[in-house]
Amino acid sequence: MTNTHLVGLQWGDEGKGKDVDILSEKHEVIVRYQGGGNAGHTVVIDGKVYKLHLVPSGILRDGKINIIGDNVVWRPQAFLEEVAALEELGIHIEPGKNLIISDGSHLTLPYQQALDAVEGGKVGTTGRGIGQTYEDSRGRTGIRAFELFDPSNLEAMIKQNTDYYNHKLRWHGPDVEQLSHNQVFDDLSKIREQLIPFIRPDTREILLKYDGSVLFEGAQGTLLDIDLGTWPFVTSSNPTKGGVYTGTGVSLELQRVIGILKAYQTRVGNGPFATEQENDTGERLRERGKEFGTTTGRPRRCGWLDLFAGKYACEVNGVTEISLTKLDVLDDEGTIRFGVGYELDGKQVDYFPRFQMGKCEPIYDEMLGWKVDTTKARKPSDLPKNARRYIERIETYLDTPVKRVGVGKGRDQTIEFD
Ligand code: IMP
């Protein structure tokens, strides 16, 4: 009987899709508790590629209940398109049964996305209206899923919100396009009936009923957390452990908290990145790791693994075990470096300086690489000695066991450690 929290320990894109897919087999319920269509989980099964943005990865297995929780924000049209794409790939979806949306989740409508398009540049957002939807949620003006049941109130809210957003858009210049509230309402009305069967008021009760078999699927990563990440270059939700509770309304005991850590570091969008390699190393990691965004296609910034930030992320989430992903991407490296501390103004810091990371110099440790193809390794002893040493260095530094290592995209390219 295990409830599991799966959380990214970096800036997202750690390769959580594969882990969540493997873990979903062992859980009855899989729940997304934060974020929205800004996420992109890629799962490869028998060579077939599934790209999930909003729908929990448990949908790829028969008989699982998948929940989109309270603190998730979603675009109605994009949700239906994702469902249709999954059905086209042969995935069976029963609204309100194997795919459920909490009536407390938040709708992202075109006006929020339009404002993100003009405001999101500084942070380098995914342009999905994520931050604006969370702002409206905190400002108590947003539209939660339950409003879809009352069209006349919905219309009034949409009118008020669109008018307000048009003011904000106008502030950005006369050329920025204004939106028509009639259009926004009409477009939503056309798909309202399709959405309603997915929405339920009792997601909390479902989670309580399945206590002991719930997988909380985090999106993005700890360093992108609105409160605990490298603010302001963050997303607007809480991928970290606290988000599990506020995003679902249950305080189930989490027996396993699995921190997903990529064997190197990446970031999309702007903001500090202490161990970034804007050189041949970064290029090699990007090419070998195919580091281009699932959601936006943007090339990701690449660098060495930052264990100092990783330690902070383990502490924030109370991580009980690490899943190390994409180890094979390092197969060709002669020397492997990893960050183990930061210097600020010439002095080593003894706290995680999340607001000053941009002014910090990383302190590196290094070791010889292994220069062997690891993609066919299936058990720890198949790995070259130096790869095992790298894993041990990570365990020691993070004081947390590495329980799983990924050496490729396929479900089978995974090594379990005792
Ligand atoms: P937003 O979530 O679209 O508002 O974007 C805020 C920041 O989070 C930007 O730097 C994005 O690139 C980043 N971000 C959002 N979602 C993801 C993700 O799933 N993986 C990696 N970065 C993300």
Side-chain angles (χ1 to χ4, degrees), residues 362-382:
I363 300 167
Y364 288 106
D365 205 343
E366 65 179 43
M367 55 172 280
L368 282 180
W370 43 91
K371 291 268 187 182
V372 172
D373 176 10
T374 59
T375 58
K376 296 187 183 64
R378 295 294 176 269
K379 51 185 191 306
S381 58
D382 292 342

Side-chain angles (χ1 to χ4, degrees), residues 11-13 38-40 116 123-127 130-131 220 224 234-235 268-270 298:
W11 281 290
D13 305 318
N38 48 352
D116 197 9
V123 170
T125 66
T126 59
I130 303 287
Q220 290 86 42
L224 284 175
V234 292
T235 190
V268 269
N270 303 328
R298 289 182 289 179

Side-chain angles (χ1 to χ4, degrees), residues 55-348:
V55 176
S57 311
I59 202 71
L60 305 179
R61 295 191 185 266
D62 288 338
K64 306 293 175 184
I65 298 172
N66 296 277
I67 295 179
I68 293 171
D70 271 33
N71 252 345
V72 176
V73 301
W74 55 284
R75 293 176 298 152
Q77 188 62 45
F79 168 73
L80 291 178
E81 283 165 14
E82 190 169 328
V83 166
L86 286 167
E87 284 179 322
E88 202 142 293
L89 287 166
I91 303 296
H92 173 66
I93 293 178
E94 274 189 83
K97 297 223 161 46
N98 71 344
L99 183 55
I100 299 168
I101 299 178
S102 165
D103 68 347
S105 61
H106 302 266
L107 302 192
T108 300
L109 294 173
Y111 45 80
Q112 286 142 330
Q113 207 177 336
L115 194 61
D116 197 9
V118 290
E119 273 184 347
K122 179 183 152 219
V123 170
T125 66
T126 59
R128 300 292 189 271
I130 303 287
Q132 289 68 20
T133 312
Y134 280 111
E135 271 181 51
D136 292 351
S137 143
R138 301 301 109 160
R140 295 156 294 181
T141 55
I143 299 179
R144 300 183 85 154
F146 74 88
E147 305 283 5
L148 287 168
F149 290 93
D150 179 354
S152 64
N153 192 41
L154 185 65
E155 184 170 18
M157 289 182 89
I158 286 179
K159 177 168 177 3
Q160 194 173 23
N161 286 350
T162 312
D163 288 352
Y164 184 47
Y165 268 83
N166 278 335
H167 282 290
K168 295 200 217 183
L169 288 166
R170 204 167 291 129
W171 185 85
H172 285 275
D175 298 338
V176 180
E177 207 181 319
Q178 300 276 291
L179 283 97
S180 137
H181 60 82
N182 287 331
Q183 183 80 50
V184 175
F185 178 67
D186 288 350
D187 287 348
L188 185 58
S189 299
K190 279 186 207 137
I191 56 174
R192 202 178 67 87
E193 300 278 325
Q194 278 171 273
L195 297 168
I196 279 177
F198 289 96
I199 298 166
R200 285 177 59 157
D202 58 348
T203 51
R204 216 179 62 80
E205 284 71 18
I206 298 170
L207 292 169
L208 289 174
K209 181 172 161 202
Y210 286 93
D211 183 7
S213 196
V214 179
L215 174 60
F216 295 89
E217 174 183 345
Q220 290 86 42
T222 302
L223 301 178
L224 284 175
D225 186 282
I226 182 75
D227 295 307
L228 301 168
T230 50
W231 193 90
F233 300 98
V234 292
T235 190
S236 298
S237 65
N238 294 113
T240 52
K241 194 179 198 171
V244 165
Y245 301 116
T246 50
T248 60
V250 292
S251 58
L252 303 184
E253 191 183 338
L254 300 171
Q255 290 88 356
R256 287 175 88 189
V257 179
I258 304 179
I260 313 294
L261 188 75
K262 189 152 59 181
Y264 51 98
Q265 201 89 11
T266 61
R267 168 161 214 170
V268 269
N270 303 328
F273 179 172
T275 57
E276 182 169 16
Q277 299 297 303
E278 289 178 280
N279 51 29
D280 290 352
T281 305
E283 280 293 324
R284 272 197 314 278
L285 294 172
R286 185 175 308 113
E287 286 309 314
R288 281 190 62 94
K290 306 209 170 32
E291 295 294 351
F292 298 90
T294 315
T295 300
T296 59
R298 289 182 289 179
R300 296 178 185 141
R301 298 157 63 193
C302 296
W304 296 116
L305 176 59
D306 185 345
L307 285 177
F308 190 54
K311 179 85 175 156
Y312 167 76
C314 283
E315 288 167 4
V316 161
N317 295 292
V319 168
T320 60
E321 64 186 76
I322 303 279
S323 174
L324 187 69
T325 62
K326 300 182 87 165
L327 182 72
D328 57 298
V329 173
L330 299 179
D331 282 354
D332 266 357
E333 299 299 322
T335 300
I336 292 176
R337 307 183 86 196
F338 42 96
V340 292
Y342 292 170
E343 270 185 6
L344 181 60
D345 299 327
K347 279 205 198 106
Q348 188 165 355

